[in-house]
Amino acid sequence: MHAPARIAPSILAADFARLADEIAPIEPFVDWWHVDVMDGHFVPNLSLGMPVIASLRAVTDLPLDCHMMTTNAGDYVEALRDAGADQITVHIEAYPDPTDVARRVHDAGLRFGLVLNPPTPVDAVIPYLTTCDVVLVMSVNPGFGGQSFLDGVLSKVEHLRKWVDSNGSGTDIQIDGGIGADTARLARDAGANVFVAGTAVFRAPDPVAAVHELRRAIGDKR
Ligand code: DX5
Ligand code: ZN
């Protein structure tokens, strides 16, 4: 049995000048907001930080899932919590031994997760999965929205699903990058249960219809 399916639209693809208006219509139909934080070092791009997270917190009750594409996410745990984050995911490439940062996130009362880039083997995170509430498999190289799904990562999702189910840990398995109805179905079949989608939701002519289509694709009835 998989953990419940969740849809987490990535606000990176939204119009930041109209963020509240962009999220309001789809809020009743989604589960988390995925917030991509980029530092220009870990990835070759800059995105957003505490002010946007705090503004978002003021206009939504949904969990804020902060994907930290930064070299030093651990330095900002309490600031992220104070801005309104509910979950912080950090890259295993930035924290090869994430024990301390996991503890810091949990001590702050937040959910913790590890992220793997497409070239990173699943073995890198296995020793630390017991500390994870979520594990995020990147299906594009991080830094930009709108890229094509790399289906070579699906074997990592399968491996993680076997691990999670055989350990009964209930860890969420999240997929991020190039997710639309077709790729969401592939990821669901491999064992993912949390689906991040930016372009496919916010750049769709009808974002509410796009969310319903995603939910149908992953076989979720809500
Ligand atoms: C990429 C980000 C993704 C991105 C997804 O660095 O981590 O969350 O916003 O965007 P789409 O769905 O357009 O691939
Ligand atoms: Zn992301």
Side-chain angles (χ1 to χ4, degrees):
M1 252 317 255
H2 289 186
R6 294 193 178 97
I7 294 178
S10 168
I11 63 155
L12 190 64
D15 176 350
F16 281 18
R18 304 178 47 252
L19 201 44
D21 296 339
E22 292 256 278
I23 67 170
I26 58 177
E27 169 142 4
F29 309 109
V30 302
D31 302 286
W32 302 347
W33 298 119
H34 182 81
V35 181
D36 287 310
V37 179
M38 304 180 187
D39 69 351
H41 292 280
F42 184 73
V43 288
N45 202 2
L46 297 165
S47 58
L48 56 87
M50 310 313 166
V52 174
I53 295 171
S55 297
L56 199 52
R57 179 73 292 157
V59 295
T60 181
D61 293 326
L62 290 185
L64 302 183
D65 163 32
C66 295
H67 173 193
M68 303 303 292
M69 287 163 274
T70 66
T71 55
N72 60 341
D75 296 346
Y76 297 101
V77 169
E78 294 76 19
L80 286 162
R81 183 213 35 219
D82 294 347
D86 295 281
Q87 169 169 293
I88 295 177
T89 58
V90 310
H91 276 258
I92 191 73
E93 301 85 7
Y95 286 93
D97 180 345
T99 312
D100 289 346
V101 68
R103 187 178 311 119
R104 192 159 169 181
V105 171
H106 283 145
D107 285 351
L110 308 181
R111 278 167 52 99
F112 173 75
L114 285 171
V115 192
L116 305 89
N117 280 339
T120 302
V122 75
D123 292 351
V125 298
I126 296 289
Y128 306 107
L129 282 181
T130 52
T131 68
C132 291
D133 301 293
V134 57
V135 56
L136 167 51
V137 177
M138 288 305 298
S139 41
V140 298
N141 286 303
F144 300 90
Q147 303 181 74
S148 297
F149 184 80
L150 300 170
D151 59 10
V153 307
L154 290 170
S155 59
K156 292 195 281 188
V157 175
E158 286 167 6
H159 189 113
L160 289 164
R161 172 52 60 197
K162 282 198 191 101
W163 189 96
V164 166
D165 287 354
S166 61
N167 285 274
S169 67
T171 308
D172 285 310
I173 301 177
Q174 185 175 30
I175 187 101
D176 180 13
I179 290 292
D182 293 345
T183 50
R185 194 175 294 116
L186 294 175
R188 189 275 317 262
D189 289 348
N193 72 291
V194 184
F195 303 84
V196 175
T199 306
V201 171
F202 287 109
R203 304 283 166 94
D206 180 347
V208 172
V211 165
H212 289 319
E213 195 187 338
L214 269 178
R215 220 173 260 291
R216 264 196 307 279
I218 59 175
D220 195 46
K221 296 209 177 39
R222 186 180 133 186

